[in-house]
Amino acid sequence: MTIPHMIPYAQPLYFLLLLVALAPIIFSLLVRNKRLPIYQAIVTFFFLFISFGGADWRQGVALFGYVVWQVILVWLYFNYRQQKNATGWFYLAVFLAIAPLTITKIMPLLTDKPISFIGFLGISYLTFKSVQMIMEIRDGMIKEYHPLRYIQFLLFFPTISSGPIDRYRRFEKEELQAPNAEKYVELLGKGVQNIFVGFLYKFIIGYYLGQILEPALKHMVIHNGGISWALLGYMYVYSLYLFFDFAGYSLFAIGTSYLMGYETPINFNKPFLSWNIKEFWNRWHMTLSFWFRDYIYMRLMFFLMKNKVFKSKIVASNVGYFVLFLIMGVWHGLTWFYIVYGIYHATLICLTDAWIRFKRKHKGQLPANKLTHAFAVFLTFQAICFGLLIFSGILNTLLFA
């Protein structure tokens, strides 16, 4: 019997296989409070095989080569980081860690062909894990390097394709200590709930928005030549679709992790109820936002302040925001609308910081009640949706079709 190639969480058969495969793990955690490391490795291999094998076998080869590359790279850095040129080793290690992802982003612009021998589904999220590992080794937060645990961390199949982005130290702690019976029963209930809510989000609401409303509105927008009520409708529908589709996937990944006894961090927390853009990024794709905050923005700010590049902390912070969101935009793709999307959000955050400083200076002089809060949520939602309209690329179609 040929095992079909399946995108994670995209087909009913995938969930059926998941239920059957996880049954022994669930039983062992419920009854014995123990993990089944060998069986879990077999399950991981199986789901990686059906996700990266078959017609996409080149992705599987690329994934294997990538993991070998990162495991050796981290081992070399861990063992040579104490030498005289420690800073040089660190920057070299980070550069080499992101090199495969950089190649997959840049080379298609030069060749008009995907780099199939390097790229694979989820390379970005594995790269974030790899860079995180190197940075935390440098900071002394990771004292020991265990290649096998690192491989388990990289290849944790519930989250491999699109996150959420976990932290190594948290994952390692749970890998070494299975949850007790009371804790696991709680995780089991939350896991089942997340999966069912994920079905609602992705396969019902997301399907209706993305497969029925969005194409119809897009056709109307292009047919009408741009500015119209259809474009406004498309903006809202696309924004909601993006949320329900990705949040649904994240709930599947988190729910599956819970069933396996791992408390993978959540990715979305009611982002459209945010009252400003900074709060939005604390609620939207949270593990990615926090990764960029901790490993790019905070380190850049430390460098700028330590070296007194700017006299004003406010100027340094604003520069940091623009660098951060430009990198985030380029990560999504080397096209003008992703870059504009990054600049747009950096501008909104700088304006939000200025408004927060103004409110603190005039504390007690400005109204603050439920009505003003609701108005702030409303304005923030409009700003978010307009940003996602830029992100969608439809403006590119209208301007350059």
Side-chain angles (χ1 to χ4, degrees):
M1 179 180 176
T2 302
I3 300 296
H5 168 72
M6 286 181 280
I7 298 173
Y9 313 114
Q11 300 163 265
L13 180 58
Y14 188 91
F15 288 94
L16 179 61
L17 293 173
L18 198 62
L19 178 63
V20 173
L22 295 187
I25 295 175
I26 294 171
F27 179 80
S28 180
L29 288 170
L30 273 177
V31 177
R32 302 171 57 212
N33 298 127
K34 291 185 178 180
R35 300 196 182 280
L36 301 175
I38 296 177
Y39 178 75
Q40 186 169 310
I42 294 172
V43 170
T44 296
F45 176 80
F46 172 77
F47 280 97
L48 292 178
F49 178 76
I50 65 175
S51 298
F52 298 96
D56 281 346
W57 64 269
R58 290 181 181 83
Q59 286 200 40
V61 173
L63 174 63
F64 176 80
Y66 179 90
V67 171
V68 171
W69 169 264
Q70 296 293 355
V71 169
I72 293 174
L73 176 62
V74 172
W75 179 83
L76 288 172
Y77 177 68
F78 184 82
N79 285 280
Y80 288 93
R81 72 193 188 285
Q82 301 295 346
Q83 294 196 2
K84 290 184 179 180
N85 189 20
T87 301
W89 280 110
F90 168 71
Y91 287 117
L92 177 61
V94 171
F95 172 79
L96 294 176
I98 65 175
L101 175 61
T102 304
I103 292 171
T104 62
K105 294 289 185 181
I106 294 177
M107 289 305 292
L109 297 177
L110 305 177
T111 64
D112 293 327
K113 294 181 180 179
I115 310 302
S116 58
F117 61 91
I118 294 180
F120 56 88
L121 181 66
I123 186 173
S124 291
Y125 296 94
L126 265 65
T127 300
F128 295 144
K129 288 183 174 182
S130 303
V131 173
Q132 169 206 146
M133 188 77 172
I134 292 168
M135 288 185 172
E136 293 197 349
I137 288 174
R138 186 206 190 194
D139 294 343
M141 300 169 76
I142 296 176
K143 306 293 186 182
E144 299 179 358
Y145 175 55
H146 301 277
L148 183 58
R149 290 180 202 159
Y150 182 47
I151 292 172
Q152 291 173 305
F153 174 62
L154 287 178
L155 295 180
F156 188 59
F157 80 88
T159 63
I160 192 170
S161 59
S162 296
I165 306 166
D166 207 347
R167 302 295 174 97
Y168 176 77
R169 286 176 296 141
R170 195 212 64 78
F171 179 86
E172 183 184 44
K173 182 179 179 180
E174 292 191 344
E175 177 66 30
L176 296 175
Q177 181 62 54
N180 59 40
E182 183 179 356
K183 178 64 177 178
Y184 182 65
V185 169
E186 178 186 347
L187 285 177
L188 188 61
K190 289 166 63 177
V192 172
Q193 179 182 6
N194 281 347
I195 290 173
F196 274 96
V197 175
F199 275 111
L200 172 65
Y201 277 21
K202 187 171 179 65
F203 294 127
I204 299 178
I205 301 175
Y207 176 84
Y208 182 74
L209 292 171
Q211 301 300 318
I212 298 175
L213 288 184
E214 192 265 352
L217 286 168
K218 186 174 185 179
H219 175 77
M220 291 172 62
V221 169
I222 295 173
H223 180 75
N224 293 334
I227 304 301
S228 66
W229 286 106
L231 183 61
L232 185 65
Y234 179 86
M235 179 181 78
Y236 292 126
V237 167
Y238 178 81
S239 299
L240 292 172
Y241 161 69
L242 202 63
F243 166 71
F244 282 108
D245 183 74
F246 196 15
Y249 164 84
S250 295
L251 288 169
F252 290 145
I254 294 166
T256 303
S257 302
Y258 285 179
L259 298 185
M260 296 176 66
Y262 296 86
E263 201 164 3
T264 295
I266 64 172
N267 232 4
F268 294 90
N269 180 23
K270 303 175 182 177
F272 292 143
L273 295 181
S274 304
W275 52 91
N276 62 48
I277 292 297
K278 293 188 75 171
E279 184 64 21
F280 169 74
W281 284 107
N282 286 328
R283 292 165 169 259
W284 174 276
H285 205 341
M286 294 159 61
T287 59
L288 178 68
S289 298
F290 297 160
W291 190 95
F292 273 91
R293 179 198 66 191
D294 295 344
Y295 298 106
I296 296 182
Y297 177 77
M298 296 302 296
R299 291 166 189 271
L300 176 60
M301 283 295 295
F302 177 78
F303 173 82
L304 294 176
M305 298 305 294
K306 180 182 178 181
N307 293 279
K308 299 180 180 179
V309 178
F310 301 102
K311 293 182 179 179
S312 170
K313 185 177 180 181
I314 294 173
V315 173
S317 178
N318 290 344
V319 170
Y321 285 135
F322 274 94
V323 171
L324 174 68
F325 280 96
L326 277 173
I327 292 174
M328 189 180 290
V330 169
W331 167 67
H332 280 103
L334 292 172
T335 53
W336 72 265
F337 49 87
Y338 288 137
I339 295 171
V340 170
Y341 174 78
I343 294 173
Y344 171 77
H345 270 280
T347 303
L348 288 182
I349 285 190
C350 291
L351 292 173
T352 298
D353 269 355
W355 172 245
I356 291 173
R357 291 193 299 271
F358 178 83
K359 287 202 303 180
R360 287 174 180 168
K361 186 177 180 180
H362 299 83
K363 189 175 182 180
Q365 301 177 28
L366 298 172
N369 50 50
K370 291 182 179 180
L371 183 61
T372 57
H373 179 83
F375 185 61
V377 171
F378 173 78
L379 288 181
T380 302
F381 179 67
Q382 309 311 311
I384 292 166
C385 291
F386 183 73
L388 291 175
L389 178 68
I390 299 172
F391 181 86
S392 72
I394 194 171
L395 299 180
N396 184 66
T397 303
L398 294 174
L399 292 172
F400 302 106

